[in-house]
Amino acid sequence: MVGTQTYTGSQTGQTTAPKEFKNFINGTWQPAKSGKTFQSINPADPSDIVGLFPASDKQDVDLAVAAAKKAYEEWRLYPAPKRAEILFKAAQLFSERKEELARELTREMGKVLAEARGDIQEVIDMVYYAAGEGRRLFGQTTPSELRNKFAMSVRVPLGVVGCITPWNFPMAIPSWKIAPALICGNTVVFKPASDTPLVATRFVEIMEEAGLPPGVLNMVTGGGGAVGDAILEHPDVKLVSFTGSCEVGRHVNEKCAPTFKRVSLEMGGKNAIIVLDDANLDLAVDGILWGAFGTTGQRCTAASRVIVQKGIHAKLTERLTERAKSLKLGYGLEPGVDVGPLINEASLKKVEKYVQIGKEDGATLVCGGNRAPEAGPGWFFQPTLFDNVKPNMRIAQEEIFGPVTAIIEVNDLREAIDVANGIEFGLSTAIYTKNVNMAFEAVRDLDSGLTYVNAPTIGAEVHLPFGGTKSTGNGHREAAEACLDIFTEWKAVYIDYSDKLQRAQIDPVK
Ligand code: UN1
């Protein structure tokens, strides 16, 4: 999580003052109580200031939680199909404004325009999907063991939900959390990443325009320490849904423990693409490039390891190197650009540090490995491939979150699966092979929440569960029907219409 900076007005390179945006609390747009702001900048050109946003703190969070708590009493009783009508309207608005939203997203976050459109499309898909749940939210009915007794289970909302989201899918990931939370009858306090508050603001504006009542969705911008912790510690917040690094995820979990909040964590990945000797090489090369360098490697599903069978290793490395070198870096709004910048300078330095570690540990740098200032004034880094990587090297174990992938040679499928599983994370895996037996064996044995056959590690769809095993998560799944389990409690209901005391497990039934 990135800290906040106070705007000084210098070094902007802009002639007009950047626009100032506000928090959204109880249906009104308002500045931070402290009056402080921080800047959001364009990662392709740091002199381009996207806007100023409230550097909020506990006072603002307290107001937002109080508003959400009050609004909950009405919202939980508003019929779910009616809540859905608001979400359907929002989905339509996202759809109508897809292009302008995507352009703003590229400017603030850096991903190329085609991918920014994908980010907005994922919002549209998720909001429609969640709206559809308004007429489902199914529970079960089941026979009672006693006569004249009816038994069923129903889903009930939790109350105020805290949603803490990252910058890499600055609109899609908020939608995965906020739309399901709302359809289930919860109210929300949303803290977006400090690198992408404009996109978050646009999200909230559309939800407001679609007709959400005041207090149902509140947004408070600012740093993890000031805003995030105030949400985590607040006794009236019942659930926190977080996506981000393992380090911050652990902090979230610990901070939520004293008040027994439900916590849903979606964290790191070190995702592998396995390529067997019989694979369609062209297809594998396309998939690896897209999986490793799409979104500049800044997806938790990014393919940061390529586990290749030895018969195809040399050929694959040669083809990948040639293609990686030909990728065009630049500002994502320029036509023909394949790879945008990293999100910020800290990220750039982290990627540089890992390239250095890779070299020192004895891996072979086959292409990239340097900053790319020729691509623009922002945080550009060359697509980078390491070969001859050993499975236990740090670049094959730790999440880099940049355009770096590690090629590891193996002898056969079993070794490939062992190497793929030999990490701390378990988000996404992929295998390229034409052999159906091998494909199914891999699907069975790869320890990850997502597995792809003949497709890269990225590209999850919203109606399938999203999440991972091991340190990637804490057992929850986002999206799909599974997301309802995060945002609701189960209530078992027994209705006895026998007009007499019937003691379960004790009275004989005749
Ligand atoms: C993430 O990287 O945090 O499957 C989410 C994908 C996207 C979502 C990625 N639909 O790559």
Side-chain angles (χ1 to χ4, degrees):
M1 231 170 267
V2 176
T4 56
Q5 317 148 251
T6 305
Y7 176 60
T8 57
S10 62
Q11 97 284 23
T12 65
Q14 287 173 326
T15 46
T16 51
K19 187 168 178 230
E20 195 170 327
F21 293 87
K22 309 240 169 71
N23 285 329
F24 188 62
I25 298 176
N26 205 20
T28 63
W29 294 93
Q30 45 189 281
K33 283 278 158 213
S34 68
K36 289 188 189 151
T37 59
F38 67 99
Q39 301 174 0
S40 170
I41 59 167
N42 177 344
D45 176 2
S47 72
D48 174 23
I49 296 170
V50 172
L52 298 180
F53 294 85
S56 316
D57 57 31
K58 185 172 180 311
Q59 308 172 72
D60 308 291
V61 170
D62 286 348
L63 288 173
V65 174
K69 190 180 176 188
K70 185 157 167 278
Y72 175 67
E73 288 313 320
E74 256 308 302
W75 184 245
R76 76 186 174 93
L77 302 176
Y78 192 54
K82 292 283 152 195
R83 293 178 209 140
E85 284 174 19
I86 299 174
L87 292 188
F88 277 124
K89 171 87 185 132
Q92 270 164 10
L93 293 170
F94 285 118
S95 195
E96 281 160 28
R97 300 192 195 148
K98 180 173 170 180
E99 191 60 21
E100 62 191 85
L101 292 169
R103 288 182 167 273
E104 282 194 315
L105 196 153
T106 294
R107 180 179 173 216
E108 188 175 48
M109 181 274 163
K111 66 176 76 173
V112 298
L113 186 56
E115 292 186 33
R117 290 185 185 123
D119 203 310
I120 308 302
Q121 187 57 48
E122 207 159 331
V123 178
I124 298 165
D125 297 344
M126 188 65 222
V127 178
Y128 273 128
Y129 183 81
E133 275 304 322
R135 284 189 187 269
R136 285 190 292 270
L137 288 173
F138 295 136
Q140 300 100 31
T141 59
T142 182
S144 165
E145 63 194 45
L146 297 165
R147 285 181 188 272
N148 296 331
K149 195 170 181 184
F150 186 88
M152 64 182 164
S153 62
V154 292
R155 290 185 183 275
V156 293
L158 281 94
V160 180
V161 164
C163 297
I164 303 181
T165 59
W167 47 263
N168 68 331
F169 276 80
M171 207 179 260
I173 292 180
S175 80
W176 295 2
K177 300 183 188 306
I178 294 169
L182 295 178
I183 199 69
C184 292
N186 303 286
T187 54
V188 172
V189 175
F190 169 33
K191 183 222 152 329
S194 297
D195 285 299
T196 49
L198 177 66
V199 173
T201 301
R202 298 298 185 227
F203 181 88
V204 173
E205 283 170 354
I206 286 181
M207 296 300 258
E208 179 193 19
E209 194 179 330
L212 277 185
V216 169
L217 171 62
N218 306 273
M219 180 183 72
V220 183
T221 62
V227 177
D229 281 1
I231 294 173
L232 305 178
E233 285 167 358
H234 203 298
D236 290 334
V237 174
K238 301 298 172 201
L239 152 69
V240 173
S241 174
F242 166 82
T243 298
S245 68
C246 283
E247 190 191 343
V248 180
R250 182 171 290 111
H251 173 82
V252 169
N253 215 1
E254 285 170 1
K255 281 271 176 194
C256 288
T259 43
F260 299 118
K261 288 181 183 30
R262 184 184 290 193
V263 184
S264 154
L265 302 171
E266 189 55 58
M267 301 174 289
K270 190 72 194 174
N271 314 293
I273 294 184
I274 295 172
V275 186
L276 297 185
D277 283 345
D278 75 329
N280 175 336
L281 187 64
D282 290 336
L283 187 67
V285 169
D286 282 345
I288 293 165
L289 286 168
W290 174 229
F293 304 129
T295 328
T296 323
Q298 302 171 113
R299 294 196 189 210
C300 48
T301 50
S304 53
R305 297 183 298 157
V306 176
I307 299 171
V308 57
Q309 201 171 2
K310 64 179 178 215
I312 204 174
H313 179 175
K315 224 186 219 172
L316 181 76
T317 306
E318 188 192 313
R319 297 280 291 280
L320 279 175
T321 309
E322 191 187 300
R323 291 277 303 279
K325 281 183 177 160
S326 72
L327 292 171
K328 187 169 174 223
L329 272 70
Y331 187 23
L333 289 180
E334 301 289 336
V337 169
D338 300 305
V339 180
L342 288 160
I343 188 69
N344 56 35
E345 195 176 6
S347 211
L348 187 70
K349 286 188 170 150
K350 182 178 174 193
V351 172
E352 278 184 317
K353 183 189 90 179
Y354 273 103
V355 168
Q356 193 54 33
I357 290 169
K359 286 190 210 160
E360 282 165 15
D361 286 352
T364 313
L365 180 66
V366 287
C367 76
N370 293 302
R371 292 184 183 212
E374 66 284 0
W379 319 119
F380 292 97
F381 199 86
Q382 296 168 338
T384 300
L385 283 171
F386 274 106
D387 196 8
N388 303 319
V389 177
K390 298 283 166 257
N392 59 352
M393 285 181 184
R394 285 185 66 191
I395 56 164
Q397 288 286 329
E398 296 171 23
E399 189 174 42
I400 302 173
F401 229 65
V404 182
T405 201
I407 304 171
I408 303 168
E409 184 186 286
V410 291
N411 290 304
D412 54 26
L413 175 66
R414 285 320 311 174
E415 189 184 350
I417 292 173
D418 286 347
V419 169
N421 289 345
I423 49 157
E424 182 194 349
F425 308 104
L427 184 54
S428 186
T429 48
I431 182 164
Y432 282 81
T433 178
K434 290 181 196 147
N435 183 317
V436 70
N437 297 359
M438 302 246 196
F440 268 92
E441 198 173 326
V443 166
R444 186 192 63 201
D445 292 344
L446 285 167
D447 186 356
S448 58
L450 305 145
T451 294
Y452 293 85
V453 176
N454 293 324
T457 51
I458 68 179
E461 302 174 29
V462 303
H463 54 301
L464 279 87
F466 184 92
T469 61
K470 299 189 272 184
S471 298
T472 293
N474 62 342
H476 295 284
R477 290 292 182 271
E478 301 201 271
E481 203 189 335
C483 72
L484 304 177
D485 292 330
I486 299 176
F487 294 106
T488 55
E489 297 267 18
W490 279 115
K491 175 180 271 194
V493 181
Y494 301 91
I495 301 165
D496 192 320
Y497 56 99
S498 69
D499 220 19
K500 61 181 187 216
L501 173 66
Q502 302 196 84
R503 297 180 302 173
Q505 294 94 33
I506 294 172
D507 292 337
V509 176
K510 292 188 205 93

